[in-house]
Amino acid sequence: MRVPLSWLREYVDLPATETGRDVQAKLIDVGLEVETVERLGEGLKGPLVVGQVLTIEELEGFKKPIRFCTVDVGDANGTGEPQEIVCGARNFAVGDKVVVVLPGAVLPGDFKIAARKTYGKTSHGMICSGDELGMGDDGTHGIIVLPPEYEVGTDAIELLELVDEVLDIAVTPDRGYCLSMRGVARETATAYGLQLRDPALLDVPPPNAAGYPVQVSDPIGCDRFTARTVSGLEPEARSPIWLTRRLQKAGMRPVSLAVDITNYVMLELGQPLHAYDRATVDGPIGVRRATAGEQLTTLDGTKRVLDAQDLVITDNRGPIGLAGVMGGANTEIAGAVTDPETGQLRGTTDVVIEAAHFDAISIARTARRHKLSSEAAKRFERGVDPEAASAAAQRTVDLLVLLGGGTAGEGVTEVVSPRGPRTLTIPADHPDKVAGVEYGRETVVRRLQQVGCDVYGQDELVVTVPSWRPDLSDPNDLAEEVIRLEGYENLPSTLPKPPAGRGLTERQRLHRRVGRVLAGAGYVEALNYPFTGSHVLDQLGIEPDDPRRSAVTLVNPLSDEEPDLRTTLIPGLLGALRRNYGRGSHDLALFETGPVFRATGDEKAASRLVVDRRPTDDEIASLDASLPQQPRRAAVVLTGAREQAGWWGEGRPAIWADAIEAGRAVAREAGVELIVRQDQHAPFHPGRCAALLALVDGEEVLVGNAGELHPRVIKAMALPERTCAMEIDLDRLERAGAGALKAPTISSFPVATQDVALIVDGSVPAADVEAALRDGAGELLESLRLFDVFTGEQTGAGKKSLAYALRFRAPDRTLTAEEATAARDAAVAAAVERTGAVLRG
């Protein structure tokens, strides 16, 4: 919300010496987020005056149209002679009143004006546009053409209100009333302890039977609808300068008198309004839910297909507006157009004014559904004062009569759904308990009254909440109002004294160790949003019956393209890898740890927990039962060089084995030695995919997968070739582990190394051979490592050679050669028996 300081002073008698910075500090103290104070006209220096165009000479021979003008500026130039000015704009004619800046002046941006020769003429100044003066967009993108009533030589700096300060306030969702001058003025008056001149305090005639007919079919969606009429407007009537300047300073573009007035009143009172051309409205105005498939062309020229939940304004023909969001093009206020036959101006002369109050949630959903964020929707979805509708309609009528020469219709329509005032009960000392400060009853009552509440009672206060504060729905909300007005900076700083804790749980330690070991292995942590969509799973080649398709869909997703909670970490990491690769980083290794969400279908509806006491164990258990499964996982993706080339060597690219090794590193942190077998699992290449298994209660359990991504996946997601990935379930690893890690016992005796090469069938997994060797070697085996895989004529068709390095060590003695050889032979015998291996050579 942009708040011009000059406009704010109309409602609050601020000291003349107060600057925008001073007001900013005061408003921040009472809880408003004033982001910046813009100083309009800073550095602007005259003479800047009103001039009248006397002659225009078209200069020929240039690439663009150039005009040589003489302009009467009165005595502003010190001579009284016409000022000669070269100008390229085409939107003015002889006799028009324009804004002229004379030599010696300085425009915003330190643009100094001097006489200079251009296009073969000497230009003594400039004829100015709104952009050159920092006024903003007036819709013409050309020279400012003033109404004819302003005298030549008048100071244009004062006339156009070019010098001002504008406060830019970031209004939070709970402070929707501050999306208006009325709301900000109320906060300013409270901050300074001054009286507020409420612009909504107007004499409004009572409703009568002569009003424009209105039929509200959905009183929940629209609980108040005010309609007023004005007739006999002058088509040529223009918005006065003071009105257009206030709109521009507030960030809105002037359009036409009727539209400008409705926008002005919205900014002033916070009540969105809409003006219909009465000649184009067919019959009574109605408010109802749309019929699915109905169409409406809105004012932005877009044809929209309506949803059954959309609230619409209708006439006898159908929808004429999206309620609370945007009007329809078929009842748009027509601008003044000259009739080519008669030469008369034609335009809208009779209007119907709508000032209504719509359900905030309905408007927010409609605006999001149609991707249509308007100033009206922004206010309705944050909460609009329902009692301000009549005053806003009256203010609009008054301005149309005053500025447009119209006549107010005698009829007044008010369709209202009865509602009582909202009343809360709060102990007088409740703010004291919340803040830890003793305010006292008098302070609490005074502050609540400043907010606009009616307060009664002694120890127990009965508080009637004002209609413009829909966010005050709880005693804690009232306590917050007292605390913020008394000043957050006045709260004492007291360090809490928490009880001594027990430190991190073993599960938390595991997750931290996993992050550290992956970072130590060269992976960079990437934190991704936990949202996804089914199209990503399609790209990954996930089958329809895959458990990863059992997603939890959000009711109010941030993006319609990602309405689900993730069931795997890989898509988010691949998206991060693709973005970084596209920005020039070609050697990438990323990791992430976090939960995934799997719907089981057995979740129950969540119960609403109370806030005035601690929930019971049964209530907490009921809440837990409503949650989907949330296993915690770790995942990596990598592409490019795993080892950089340099003087030390050629380096090497990242391959599927690196992804498997990342899984092994994670498992070792849980005290688990993985079993690796070949697998086929989307999105991995069927020939380069590994199943990562762990022993849980003596049985092999799948804990993850690793490998190279399928070429179709790489093409669908626009990834680099040979991209690899790994994902592993940390919860299953924790169950497979033996509890807290214990430091290994380091033997002081030397190691005995024995190598063995075994020939097995090509279909025998290396994991089976390794398991047999481990079991056969016995307790003396310290480690076992596969260091070579060979196929060729020497091994025979369909065979492969697996070479292992076995390290033997005893904790209490130096092993003899005979003991190491016996352990090796026992390991080979077990492999021969269980896998059909043959000792090579």
Side-chain angles (χ1 to χ4, degrees):
M1 176 68 186
R2 290 172 56 85
V3 178
L5 188 59
S6 59
W7 193 357
L8 185 63
R9 290 181 183 274
E10 282 200 3
Y11 313 119
V12 184
D13 289 326
L14 294 172
T17 57
E18 287 295 282
T19 66
R21 297 287 186 188
D22 298 329
V23 178
Q24 177 189 29
K26 286 285 190 179
L27 292 179
I28 289 176
D29 286 343
V30 295
L32 286 183
E33 297 180 17
V34 186
E35 295 187 331
T36 60
V37 177
E38 182 180 352
R39 303 187 66 176
L40 303 181
E42 187 173 19
L44 177 63
K45 177 185 175 184
L48 187 72
V49 298
V50 176
Q52 185 172 22
V53 181
L54 299 178
T55 64
I56 298 177
E57 177 188 351
E58 301 289 345
L59 301 182
E60 304 294 340
F62 299 104
K63 292 183 180 179
K64 61 180 181 179
I66 298 296
R67 312 168 96 187
F68 181 64
C69 311
T70 59
V71 185
D72 181 10
V73 294
D75 296 329
N77 57 6
T79 65
E81 296 295 325
Q83 199 80 2
E84 297 180 340
I85 299 175
V86 175
C87 182
R90 315 286 301 174
N91 67 314
F92 64 95
V94 172
D96 282 347
K97 298 287 181 68
V98 294
V99 178
V100 179
V101 58
L102 301 177
V106 180
L107 295 184
D110 197 28
F111 181 31
K112 297 178 181 178
I113 304 299
R116 65 189 185 97
K117 191 168 184 178
T118 179
Y119 297 102
K121 301 285 186 178
T122 300
S123 181
H124 299 273
M126 286 174 50
I127 301 175
C128 298
S129 68
D131 289 337
E132 290 165 340
L133 298 178
M135 294 173 58
D137 183 16
D138 61 358
T140 66
H141 301 288
I143 293 302
I144 301 171
V145 179
L146 298 171
E149 62 264 22
Y150 295 107
E151 294 185 5
V152 169
T154 302
D155 183 2
I157 295 178
E158 182 177 350
L159 175 66
L160 299 178
E161 302 176 16
L162 296 179
V163 179
D164 202 351
E165 292 182 279
V166 178
L167 286 72
D168 193 350
I169 303 176
V171 180
T172 53
D174 61 328
R175 307 288 287 278
Y177 66 97
C178 285
L179 286 171
S180 68
M181 295 299 303
R182 181 193 184 200
V184 176
R186 179 176 286 108
E187 293 296 318
T188 305
T190 301
Y192 278 91
L194 300 173
Q195 289 295 318
L196 169 70
R197 287 190 292 274
D198 191 345
L201 296 180
L202 300 174
D203 292 330
V204 180
N208 54 56
Y212 196 91
V214 174
Q215 300 169 352
V216 178
S217 302
D218 191 336
I220 296 177
C222 175
D223 57 12
R224 180 181 291 266
F225 196 106
T226 299
R228 300 288 298 275
T229 59
V230 177
S231 58
L233 292 173
E234 300 171 1
E236 70 276 9
R238 297 173 54 184
S239 301
I241 290 176
W242 66 265
L243 178 58
T244 59
R245 288 298 294 134
R246 287 187 173 180
L247 291 176
Q248 288 175 325
K249 291 175 186 178
M252 301 192 76
R253 180 174 64 86
V255 179
S256 64
L257 178 63
V259 176
D260 291 349
I261 287 175
T262 56
N263 286 336
Y264 177 83
V265 176
M266 177 185 68
L267 292 172
E268 184 178 49
L269 302 181
Q271 169 66 54
L273 301 109
H274 190 71
Y276 300 94
D277 187 336
R278 188 170 183 177
T280 61
V281 178
D282 183 9
I285 290 177
V287 183
R288 61 168 172 82
R289 298 288 173 178
T291 302
E294 278 188 303
Q295 295 186 352
L296 168 68
T297 301
T298 46
L299 288 173
D300 59 357
T302 302
K303 181 177 288 187
R304 304 183 184 277
V305 179
L306 304 181
D307 187 88
Q309 294 301 313
D310 292 334
L311 198 64
V312 293
I313 310 297
T314 65
D315 63 6
N316 289 336
R317 298 165 299 177
I320 59 173
L322 268 178
V325 181
M326 185 175 285
N330 54 351
T331 57
E332 181 180 6
I333 298 295
V337 179
T338 303
D339 190 315
E341 297 181 359
T342 64
Q344 294 180 340
L345 278 177
R346 291 187 176 179
T348 297
T349 57
D350 301 338
V351 297
V352 180
I353 305 299
E354 166 206 308
H357 184 261
F358 301 110
D359 175 61
I361 295 177
S362 176
I363 300 305
R365 288 177 176 171
T366 295
R368 179 175 294 180
R369 187 181 298 119
H370 293 281
K371 298 180 175 62
L372 184 58
S373 178
S374 65
E375 292 292 331
K378 187 189 302 182
R379 285 162 173 80
F380 276 123
E381 65 189 16
R382 286 167 171 77
V384 169
D385 181 6
E387 303 298 328
S390 299
Q394 183 63 47
R395 177 72 164 139
T396 304
V397 169
D398 292 343
L399 288 174
L400 284 172
V401 171
L402 175 66
L403 304 177
T407 302
E410 296 181 357
V412 178
T413 302
E414 286 273 8
V415 180
V416 181
S417 297
R419 65 161 67 192
R422 290 179 298 116
T423 301
L424 301 175
T425 300
I426 175 176
D429 61 350
H430 183 64
D432 302 8
K433 295 178 179 179
V434 172
V437 176
E438 187 174 345
Y439 292 123
R441 179 188 177 280
E442 289 73 16
T443 299
V444 171
V445 171
R446 175 170 58 85
R447 290 303 190 183
L448 291 178
Q449 288 174 340
Q450 287 178 331
V451 171
C453 299
D454 291 331
V455 186
Y456 304 95
Q458 294 298 318
D459 295 338
E460 197 80 10
L461 301 180
V462 179
V463 181
T464 301
V465 176
S467 57
W468 59 82
R469 293 299 301 272
D471 59 302
L472 301 182
S473 58
D474 184 88
N476 289 323
D477 296 331
L478 300 178
E480 181 185 359
E481 294 299 299
V482 175
I483 296 168
R484 75 175 178 88
L485 294 180
E486 282 295 303
Y488 291 119
E489 70 278 5
N490 296 323
L491 295 178
S493 298
T494 305
L495 291 176
K497 297 179 180 179
R502 293 172 292 177
L504 299 177
T505 64
E506 182 56 33
R507 185 169 186 260
Q508 291 169 327
R509 290 193 183 98
L510 171 61
H511 297 160
R512 292 198 178 187
R513 290 199 306 270
V514 167
R516 283 195 294 267
V517 74
L518 289 176
Y523 292 87
V524 177
E525 186 171 17
L527 301 177
N528 300 294
Y529 289 116
F531 309 118
T532 187
S534 58
H535 67 284
V536 177
L537 300 180
D538 295 337
Q539 292 176 332
L540 293 177
I542 307 298
E543 296 294 333
D545 58 347
D546 193 291
R548 287 171 287 181
R549 291 280 185 177
S550 302
V552 177
T553 302
L554 300 175
V555 176
N556 56 341
L558 295 179
S559 169
D560 293 337
E561 296 180 357
E562 295 182 331
D564 303 329
L565 291 176
R566 65 189 179 192
T567 57
T568 169
L569 298 180
I570 289 179
L573 282 173
L574 292 178
L577 182 141
R578 182 176 59 244
R579 285 192 298 275
N580 283 277
Y581 192 88
R583 294 170 184 172
S585 298
H586 294 167
D587 302 323
L588 294 164
L590 308 177
F591 84 92
E592 182 177 12
T593 62
V596 298
F597 307 86
R598 297 284 182 88
T600 64
D602 298 330
E603 294 85 4
K604 301 177 181 178
S607 57
R608 189 179 182 88
L609 298 183
V610 296
V611 296
D612 58 345
R613 59 172 173 80
R614 185 188 186 281
T616 65
D617 293 342
D618 290 341
E619 289 172 334
I620 295 176
S622 174
L623 185 64
D624 289 339
S626 68
L627 300 176
Q629 292 182 355
Q630 301 179 50
R632 194 168 183 89
R633 298 196 165 191
V636 305
V637 294
L638 62 163
T639 189
R642 187 66 180 134
E643 295 178 3
Q644 295 289 339
W647 58 265
W648 53 85
E650 296 181 357
R652 67 173 183 84
I655 60 173
W656 54 268
D658 294 303
I660 295 175
E661 181 56 30
R664 284 196 172 104
V666 170
R668 282 194 292 269
E669 294 302 313
V672 176
E673 194 67 32
L674 288 181
I675 302 168
V676 180
R677 298 187 187 279
Q678 188 175 2
D679 196 8
Q680 293 189 15
H681 184 75
F684 298 101
H685 191 298
R688 298 173 186 147
C689 173
L692 307 181
L693 308 166
L695 290 176
V696 179
D697 298 331
E699 295 185 3
E700 292 186 1
V701 174
L702 180 70
V703 295
N705 288 93
E708 182 180 310
L709 296 184
H710 198 289
R712 285 198 297 267
V713 174
I714 290 176
K715 182 178 180 180
M717 301 191 73
L719 298 169
E721 293 183 359
R722 302 284 183 174
T723 297
C724 301
M726 181 279 298
E727 185 171 23
I728 196 165
D729 192 316
L730 297 181
D731 292 343
R732 291 183 182 177
L733 280 181
E734 187 180 10
R735 290 196 295 272
L741 290 179
K742 296 181 180 179
T745 301
I746 300 176
S747 175
S748 59
F749 297 94
V751 66
T753 302
Q754 296 274 356
D755 293 345
V756 59
L758 301 174
I759 297 177
V760 296
D761 288 337
S763 60
V764 175
D768 290 350
V769 178
E770 182 177 328
L773 289 172
R774 285 184 183 277
D775 292 344
E779 295 181 353
L780 294 179
L781 181 67
E782 182 180 81
S783 67
L784 180 151
R785 179 174 61 88
L786 174 66
F787 66 86
D788 184 54
V789 178
F790 175 76
T791 57
E793 295 180 359
Q794 296 92 329
T795 61
K799 303 288 185 176
K800 61 183 176 182
S801 172
L802 304 177
Y804 292 91
L806 291 77
R807 290 167 57 91
F808 299 99
R809 193 184 331 237
D812 55 351
R813 68 189 187 281
T814 299
L815 292 177
T816 64
E818 290 77 11
E819 289 176 309
T821 301
R824 169 186 175 275
D825 293 344
V828 170
V832 169
E833 180 182 353
R834 289 165 52 175
T835 66
V838 176
L839 188 64
R840 185 177 176 186

